[in-house]
């Protein structure tokens, strides 16, 4: 569920931010630098939380945070991008700071000792296929929305907004699961 939720929207986000929202590379670079520093500062806090609770708990919490940030990303448009993008990026990076190590550790928590390498390899292959399905679904949704050009109260709805909303919902469902 996680891989579908991420891959349905994230691969297309950079193109949307640069091509449609038209944010400057300077702003994107500054936000990326701030987000990287934030991740470096809070990753240890995620580790301590995992020590006190579990990696499963950290995984659920970080996926939920990313899901909420993706839903907030619906508000990133050409007219709001200057303020909405930095907020969404910083907020989502709080979750991204934990997710890589959490998913890695959770695999070891649940994989059987016998055949662990094979088990993790098969899981990685399966999640890769699901991620591909997410990218494929996202590209189909984008092409349909580009053709329909829907509006909401007179404002254009962009395909990436729909993808981020779907991604956020899927990730929050994954977090609750």
């Amino acid at each position: 569920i996680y891989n579908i939720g991420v891959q349905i929207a994230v691969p297309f986000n950079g193109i949307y931010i640069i091509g449609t929202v038209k944010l400057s590379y300077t702003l994107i670079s500054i936000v990326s630098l701030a987000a990287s520093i934030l991740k470096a500062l809070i990753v240890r806090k995620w580790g301590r939380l995992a020590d006190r609770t579990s990696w499963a708990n950290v995984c659920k919490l970080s996926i939920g945070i990313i899901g909420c940030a993706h839903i907030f990303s619906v508000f990133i448009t050409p007219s709001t991008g200057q303020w909405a993008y930095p907020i969404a990026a910083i907020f989502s990076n709080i979750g991204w700071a934990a997710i890589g190590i959490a998913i890695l550790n959770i695999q070891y928590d649940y994989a059987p000792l016998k055949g662990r390498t094979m088990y993790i390899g098969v899981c990685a292959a399966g999640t890769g296929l699901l991620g591909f399905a997410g990218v494929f679904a996202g590209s189909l949704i984008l092409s349909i929305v580009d053709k329909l050009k829907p509006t909401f109260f007179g404002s254009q709805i962009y395909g990436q907004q729909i993808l981020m909303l779907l991604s956020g919902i899927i990730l929050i469902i994954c977090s609750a699961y």
Side-chain angles (χ1 to χ4, degrees), residues 102-121:
I103 287 179
L104 179 67
N105 279 300
I106 211 168
Q107 289 180 47
Y108 286 103
D109 286 348
Y110 291 100
L113 289 175
K114 185 176 182 188
R116 179 175 280 181
T117 304
M118 180 63 77
Y119 178 87
I120 290 173

Side-chain angles (χ1 to χ4, degrees), residues 62-173:
S62 61
I63 290 171
I65 290 170
I66 295 167
C68 290
H70 283 195
I71 289 173
F72 179 79
S73 294
V74 169
F75 299 107
I76 300 174
T77 66
S79 62
T80 64
Q82 293 290 324
W83 63 267
Y85 171 71
I87 293 169
I90 296 297
F91 188 52
S92 69
N93 274 281
I94 293 170
W96 288 115
I99 198 66
I101 192 73
I103 287 179
L104 179 67
N105 279 300
I106 211 168
Q107 289 180 47
Y108 286 103
D109 286 348
Y110 291 100
L113 289 175
K114 185 176 182 188
R116 179 175 280 181
T117 304
M118 180 63 77
Y119 178 87
I120 290 173
V122 169
C123 286
T127 58
L129 290 173
L130 291 172
F132 174 77
V135 171
F136 187 75
S139 66
L140 285 175
I141 292 167
L142 280 177
S143 64
I144 291 168
V145 173
D146 282 347
K147 287 178 188 168
L148 297 177
K149 298 196 185 312
T151 60
F152 184 71
F153 291 111
S155 296
Q156 181 177 354
I157 298 173
Y158 298 97
Q160 188 64 26
Q161 290 173 293
I162 293 170
L163 293 183
M164 293 306 274
L165 180 62
L166 283 171
S167 174
I169 291 168
I170 292 168
L171 291 172
I172 289 171
I173 290 168

Side-chain angles (χ1 to χ4, degrees), residues 41-53 55 58:
L41 292 173
I42 65 170
V43 72
R44 294 186 76 204
K45 293 183 187 315
W46 280 117
R48 286 189 206 118
L49 179 62
D51 290 342
R52 285 194 314 273
T53 60
W55 281 111
V58 167

